[in-house]
Amino acid sequence: EKEKHAWSDLVRATGAGDARAKASWLAAARDAKLYELVRSGSKRPEGFVRAAHDLLKAAGEHAGAYLDALVAIASELLAEASALCESAADNRERLANAQSPPLQNGEGVDKNHAEAFVASKEAKEVRVMATRFLASAFERHPDFDYAPYWPSIARSVAPMLARAANESSAASAAPPAVALVASVASDDACAKLLLEDAVVTS
């Protein structure tokens, strides 16, 4: 109950333009251990990102007052979802390389330990939806200061960008990570973020 009041107070202060409140959202999101929701397979992270995206589209410029809250939470959810997806992919690769001949498509995976090799549907959905939300935020609000959140965002999407060439085709929409980078690059001020060392795609 105390935590709920603290978040409510932070939301009100943020909406009122309190600079200190806005700057505290990243720490608040981390202190709330949002990663536990993603790890548990909860539907709440997916619901939050969907609602945040709807708010971004419906509220227009008024959503800008709450972008620190929305971007901070979305970036934390994205970070955990991406970590889970990449950990599962790395485990599958190690398992396949240890076999002779190499296994394909998860063959030989112990069903009792499948979670170590296959990221949950919820984690995959959160990863995609959070990336799309952030792309939309950059596109609609290029004047917002994304610098405090960019290092985490960049680390989260870097593996997705590395695979983007294999995922995209002329007949399909750009992969979420590519759409995000395109949104960042479309504004001169935001594009400077792409020069930071956090983005590693090789």
Side-chain angles (χ1 to χ4, degrees), residues 5-15 20-22 24-25 28 66:
H5 284 304
W7 277 67
S8 296
D9 292 342
L10 191 55
V11 170
R12 283 194 292 270
T14 298
R20 182 177 298 180
K22 290 184 176 185
S24 67
W25 272 103
Y66 298 97

Side-chain angles (χ1 to χ4, degrees), residues 1 24 49 64-65 81 87 93 100 103 105 109 125 129 133 140 155 157 162-163 172 181-182 186-187 198:
E1 189 67 28
S24 67
V49 178
S87 176
E93 183 177 357
S100 181
L103 298 177
N105 300 322
V109 172
E125 284 295 316
M129 291 176 64
F133 164 77
R140 294 170 184 271
R155 285 192 297 269
V157 302
R163 291 190 296 272
S172 63
V181 171
S186 66
D187 179 79

Side-chain angles (χ1 to χ4, degrees), residues 23-39:
S24 67
W25 272 103
L26 192 55
R30 288 172 177 167
D31 289 345
K33 299 181 180 179
L34 298 179
Y35 59 84
E36 292 182 350
L37 291 174
V38 182
R39 290 179 185 177

Side-chain angles (χ1 to χ4, degrees):
E1 189 67 28
K2 182 178 180 181
E3 184 175 340
K4 290 182 179 179
H5 284 304
W7 277 67
S8 296
D9 292 342
L10 191 55
V11 170
R12 283 194 292 270
T14 298
D18 186 321
R20 182 177 298 180
K22 290 184 176 185
S24 67
W25 272 103
L26 192 55
R30 288 172 177 167
D31 289 345
K33 299 181 180 179
L34 298 179
Y35 59 84
E36 292 182 350
L37 291 174
V38 182
R39 290 179 185 177
S40 70
S42 170
K43 295 289 187 181
R44 293 172 66 185
E46 186 178 338
F48 170 83
V49 178
R50 182 178 291 108
H53 209 164
D54 289 343
L55 175 63
L56 201 65
K57 292 183 286 187
E61 63 180 22
H62 300 294
Y66 298 97
L67 275 180
D68 282 285
L70 300 178
V71 173
I73 295 174
S75 64
E76 281 298 292
L77 295 175
L78 171 61
E80 182 59 27
S82 184
L84 290 174
C85 291
E86 291 308 313
S87 176
D90 289 344
N91 288 338
R92 289 196 302 273
E93 183 177 357
R94 283 195 293 270
L95 177 65
N97 291 339
Q99 305 299 317
S100 181
L103 298 177
Q104 301 293 328
N105 300 322
E107 295 176 339
V109 172
D110 183 349
K111 300 301 182 182
N112 293 324
H113 299 88
E115 68 277 3
F117 298 92
V118 181
S120 69
K121 176 183 176 182
E122 290 77 15
K124 294 176 182 177
E125 284 295 316
V126 169
R127 189 186 202 186
V128 170
M129 291 176 64
T131 304
R132 288 176 176 163
F133 164 77
L134 291 167
S136 184
F138 272 100
E139 180 180 353
R140 294 170 184 271
H141 300 275
D143 295 332
F144 177 72
D145 181 13
Y146 294 95
Y149 313 102
W150 180 248
S152 175
I153 295 171
R155 285 192 297 269
S156 297
V157 302
M160 302 166 72
L161 288 171
R163 291 190 296 272
N166 297 325
E167 296 177 354
S168 60
S169 69
S172 63
V178 174
L180 171 58
V181 171
S183 294
V184 177
S186 66
D187 179 79
D188 289 344
C190 291
K192 294 178 181 179
L193 295 170
L194 297 175
L195 301 178
E196 297 186 3
D197 293 338
V199 180
V200 178
T201 60
S202 60

